[in-house]
Amino acid sequence: MTRYLFDRFCLDSDQKLLTRGEEPVRLTPRAFRLLEFLLRQRPNAVSKRDLLQHVWSGDIVEESNLKSLVLEIRAALEERGGRAAVIRTAYGFGYAFAGDAAEEALSQPQALVALRWAAGSIRLPAGLHLIGRGPDCAVIIDAASVSREHANLLVARHELRLTDLGSKNGTFVATTRIDAPTDLFDNCRIRIGEVVVDVLRLGKDTSTVTLDAGGEAGR
């Protein structure tokens, strides 16, 4: 678990969060993954082939998609007063992180939420966690009905929010398919594709929250 500090920005690899000062900087999950990978490999340039393999987990995509992510990162940094040029183009080869950056190793953060499904379980700290069957997901659910990048789960002290990422087989809260960010109860049941997942907030009295036979949460 590492934080990268550069030009008043902070990229937290554990929470999957980029901030400048106290303000979050919005990046799509793939743009975040690309920036994080370039920071890890700095100051070396990384080939387009390696970047495509890492960011898209082996899926076949056009190089233009990579260029679009680079433009997204540069625009986000520049919009917040940073330097777009920290993402350097190595012409005919790939890209590199060209700025000064420092690393901070982080201690294990406190787990706030537990997820349990038939084939596994995980505890999650505060942050935005990617759910799917891709190798870079925070919550890896290896099932055919689960997309590589299926959903995001936002975990905070007083907030739990689930967002579908355009998955093929859908994301459900209880029995309802969601198509917009949806707040969760502290004790509830969700479904990722065909995989049922129980969500439980840790260290909090959830005795007044129950699940009915259909998985609906109530008080």
Side-chain angles (χ1 to χ4, degrees):
M1 294 173 292
T2 305
R3 290 196 304 182
Y4 299 91
L5 308 176
F6 64 96
D7 199 16
R8 294 184 63 190
F9 291 93
C10 175
L11 184 145
D12 191 316
S13 60
D14 182 60
Q15 296 192 39
K16 304 300 181 188
L17 184 65
L18 177 66
T19 57
R20 190 170 196 266
E22 298 296 324
E23 294 297 320
V25 179
R26 179 175 175 79
L27 287 178
T28 59
R30 285 197 174 97
F32 183 95
R33 190 181 306 169
L34 174 60
L35 177 58
E36 181 183 30
F37 192 52
L38 291 175
L39 278 162
R40 286 179 181 172
Q41 303 299 319
R42 74 187 193 286
N44 298 328
V46 185
S47 70
K48 293 178 182 178
R49 179 180 178 181
D50 287 346
L51 290 172
L52 290 168
Q53 175 70 29
H54 179 80
V55 174
W56 278 272
S57 303
D59 289 345
I60 299 175
V61 295
E62 298 292 331
E63 283 190 9
S64 59
N65 292 328
L66 180 60
K67 183 178 180 180
S68 295
L69 290 188
V70 171
L71 292 175
E72 178 188 339
I73 294 169
R74 286 172 173 166
L77 297 180
E78 194 170 35
E79 182 181 352
R80 294 306 180 94
R83 295 181 299 114
V86 296
I87 307 299
R88 176 177 65 86
T89 300
Y91 291 99
F93 181 73
Y95 297 94
F97 185 87
D100 294 326
E103 295 183 24
E104 287 185 352
L106 303 176
S107 58
Q108 183 69 32
Q110 179 186 3
L112 298 180
V113 169
L115 273 58
R116 291 191 288 267
W117 60 101
S121 64
I122 192 171
R123 294 188 172 204
L124 299 174
L128 185 64
H129 305 284
L130 181 61
I131 303 173
R133 57 183 176 85
D136 294 319
C137 292
V139 182
I140 299 175
I141 302 178
D142 188 12
S145 65
V146 177
S147 300
R148 284 183 177 272
E149 295 182 353
H150 196 107
N152 273 329
L153 178 63
L154 174 65
V155 177
R157 286 286 178 184
H158 305 291
E159 187 175 18
L160 282 175
R161 182 174 300 162
L162 184 66
T163 303
D164 182 75
L165 298 178
S167 64
K168 178 180 179 180
N169 295 308
T171 301
F172 299 78
V173 176
T175 58
T176 302
R177 184 167 183 166
I178 63 172
D179 56 11
T182 301
D183 292 328
L184 304 179
F185 287 111
D186 290 333
N187 185 353
C188 66
R189 179 165 291 167
I190 64 176
R191 201 170 89 229
I192 306 298
E194 297 178 2
V195 179
V196 175
V197 180
D198 289 322
V199 181
L200 176 65
R201 183 178 288 278
L202 301 171
K204 183 175 181 179
D205 180 10
T206 58
S207 59
T208 58
V209 182
T210 59
L211 292 174
D212 65 21
E216 295 283 359
R219 296 182 183 273

